[in-house]
Structure formats: C-alpha cells, structure tokens
Amino acid sequence: MKKWYAVIGNPIGHSMSPFMHNSWFSQMEIDATYIPIQVIEEDLDRAVSSMNLLGISGFNVTIPHKEKIIPLLDILDPMAEKMGAVNTVVRLEDGRLKGFNTDGLGFVRSLEEVVGDQLKSEEVLIIGAGGAARGIAFALETLGYSHLTICNRTVEKAGAICSELEQKAAAISLQQASEQLNQFKIIIQTTPAGLKNGDFSLPFSIEKLNSTAIVADIVYNPLMTPFLEAASQKGATTVSGLGMFVHQGALAFNYWTGQSPDLLAVKKQLIENLG
Ligand code: ATR
C-alpha cells in the first residue's frame, strides 16, 4: 500500500523537501509520496492528531514548529531531547509518534563530506546562538569535536548553550570573535545576517580570517551567502548549507524507510533548481 509522508511548517511553499524525498522515492522504486502542508501555529495540535488519523507514516517539522511539537509527541530520541527541537517524526507501528532531530548531525556530515573527519581537535567557532547553533553545537560535541567557541550578538544566549554542553566551551561577543578570528580553523555561520533583500552585512568583520580556514553556512538559498562570498575572497574553503539540507533529509529518509538514498544526484538537481 502506498505510504504518505509530509513536511509541516509556515511558510512551506519554498521547501525543497518534497522535491528531494519524492526524487528518492521514485529512484528507489518506493511506493510513497511526500507532500508539503502549511500549518499555522494555532493549528499545530490538530495537525499532529490528523497525521495519525490519516495514517501519515512520517513527517518533517520546520519553522516555526520545531520546539512546540515536542509535547505533542509520544517518544523522543535522546538527541532531539537534548536539543529541545524535532525536525523528523516517525509513526511507529503501534501508532505512537517518535521525534528525532537530524539537523545537527546532518550539518556535521556535510562538513565532513567536504573536509574529512580529521579536524576534531581544531578550534571551532559557531556564530549565533539560536536553535540551529544549538543543534550543531550538540552534534559537534557528540561526534568528538573538542574545542568549541560560540559567539553571539547577545552573549548570554551563547553562554546558555555552552553551559549545557558537557565539555568546556567559550561564549564570546561578535567583536571578540572578529578580533580572534585567525585562531579558528572551522567557522560556522548560523545567523540570518545579510539575508534580507538589499542587506549584505556580515555579522562582523572577517579581516582576520585565515586563508586555511573552513567556513560553513547553514543557508542554502542563496548557495553563496554574503558571508561565504567574503570568506571565499579571503581564500577560505567554503561549505554551503545545501549539504546540511541533503544530509538531514537523508537521515530522516533512513528513519522512515531503513534505506540510504543517493545524495549526489539529488544535490546536483537541487543546484540546478536553485539556479
Ligand atoms: P535559528 O533557530 O534558525 O537558529 P533564531 O533562533 O532566530 O534562528 O536565532 C537567530 C540567531 O541569529 C541568534 O543568535 C541571533 O542573535 P541574538 O541571539 O542576539 O538575537 C542572531 N542574529 C539575528 N540577526 C542577526 C544580525 N543581523 N547580526 C548578528 N546576529 C544576528
């Protein structure tokens, strides 16, 4: 019998997830379809109950529901519990809904796809202290990255994430990050700075960026954010958010089907679609 999957969020019209998962279903000859469903915040409760009623086998959760969905689920994977956010839900055979978070691990996999997994003892700087930064910090720690620093406009928020990590991590201001930038090998930009129309500002000056640094962004549209563009001009290796998007999707796909999809072909198609 055909299976149904979905992504719920608001807005949802620009999501590339339906394209990606449907490509994988058709490539792998799995009889399933993935649909986008716009759900406003007030309707989240009813939307989740409907998923069960309609027999949806699994779904992704995106902005603004990643945190608020937690009390509506029956079981949480430990990583999702630690992160306080869910982006993937699996409907178990007995009908219970189990929440996972594949964003942070998806990011680290995409980073390691480009730079390998030999950089775990290098200095890592995360810019921003929102939900994405938090997930990435936990995933980096889980995978053995041992020198983490988080900088944020509101330093207290960076401090709050650091205090939840098991390892010692430093919380610094954007100004300090800018001044100490040459000390970092891996720099991960998670803020929306410079993404509004006509605003090309960076979170801070990257004058001191090392040309040997690896600079990653979590945004994939545009593929080259102003931050990556500036880093690339300084000779740094850049990693766009597209890899994170594809890897988080592949991990979700694996939870749903037990299978590992082909990442390369879908990445090429997405790049073509993004122009
Ligand atoms: P997400 O869940 O996607 O990470 P978020 O929770 O809204 O999004 O977090 C956005 C992050 O970007 C925050 O760290 C925010 O800084 P504050 O904590 O000080 O609000 C940061 N941010 C947003 N706009 C920024 C800007 N123009 N310059 C620098 N940092 C910015």
Side-chain angles (χ1 to χ4, degrees):
M1 201 170 79
K2 188 185 189 74
K3 291 193 167 173
W4 291 89
Y5 296 88
V7 53
I8 60 169
N10 185 29
I12 203 64
H14 296 293
S15 171
M16 293 287 211
S17 292
F19 171 80
M20 179 166 70
H21 286 282
N22 286 324
S23 300
W24 284 333
F25 287 140
S26 86
Q27 258 171 41
M28 299 170 80
E29 298 182 354
I30 296 171
D31 187 15
T33 297
Y34 182 112
I35 51 169
I37 304 175
Q38 182 171 0
V39 174
I40 59 169
E41 288 191 76
E42 301 77 68
D43 286 344
L44 182 62
D45 202 332
R46 286 193 299 158
V48 173
S49 312
S50 314
M51 294 290 172
N52 247 337
L53 200 68
L54 297 172
I56 302 273
S57 299
F59 55 98
N60 283 129
V61 183
T62 187
I63 292 166
H65 305 311
K66 288 185 185 186
E67 284 103 19
K68 296 207 179 79
I69 194 160
I70 289 183
L72 307 174
L73 301 174
D74 302 301
I75 324 177
L76 271 192
D77 175 70
M79 188 65 126
E81 189 161 12
K82 208 168 161 187
M83 290 177 181
V86 160
N87 79 327
T88 301
V89 177
V90 177
R91 196 161 66 93
L92 303 175
E93 281 190 357
D94 59 10
R96 286 180 307 162
L97 297 177
K98 180 168 181 182
F100 295 86
N101 193 314
T102 68
D103 285 330
L105 186 56
F107 174 82
V108 183
R109 288 211 172 160
S110 88
L111 180 74
E112 291 185 344
E113 188 177 71
V114 179
V115 301
D117 61 357
Q118 307 299 310
L119 302 176
K120 298 193 180 195
S121 53
E122 299 282 354
E123 293 291 334
V124 181
L125 175 68
I126 300 174
I127 309 168
R134 192 188 174 77
I136 288 170
F138 284 127
L140 286 167
E141 173 168 80
T142 304
L143 292 175
Y145 287 78
S146 53
H147 291 96
L148 302 184
T149 298
I150 305 176
C151 66
N152 195 39
R153 193 168 58 179
T154 317
V155 187
E156 295 74 32
K157 277 168 74 181
I161 300 178
C162 289
S163 66
E164 286 174 53
L165 292 168
E166 273 159 35
Q167 64 182 269
K168 206 160 162 269
I172 60 174
S173 68
L174 298 181
Q175 174 75 24
Q176 286 169 310
S178 180
E179 283 160 12
Q180 300 166 17
L181 203 56
N182 58 358
Q183 297 171 18
F184 295 98
K185 175 75 176 174
I186 300 174
I187 295 156
I188 303 160
Q189 169 5 60
T190 74
T191 79
L195 288 177
K196 289 196 196 101
N197 279 345
D199 164 23
F200 301 106
S201 60
L202 306 183
F204 51 72
S205 157
I206 63 160
E207 196 56 42
K208 295 202 172 148
L209 182 73
N210 263 331
S211 62
T212 55
I214 293 140
V215 180
D217 207 310
I218 61 165
V219 167
Y220 64 89
N221 190 10
L223 281 171
M224 281 302 266
T225 61
F227 195 77
L228 291 186
E229 199 73 71
S232 157
Q233 278 168 22
K234 300 219 59 145
T237 302
T238 59
V239 181
S240 92
L242 189 65
M244 173 182 181
F245 174 67
V246 174
H247 278 279
Q248 64 74 31
L251 289 162
F253 190 90
N254 187 261
Y255 282 130
W256 293 329
T257 65
Q259 301 194 50
S260 301
D262 172 18
L263 304 190
L264 214 61
V266 91
K267 213 164 159 185
K268 275 194 198 141
Q269 287 171 318
L270 285 167
I271 291 171
E272 276 167 28
N273 288 3
L274 288 166

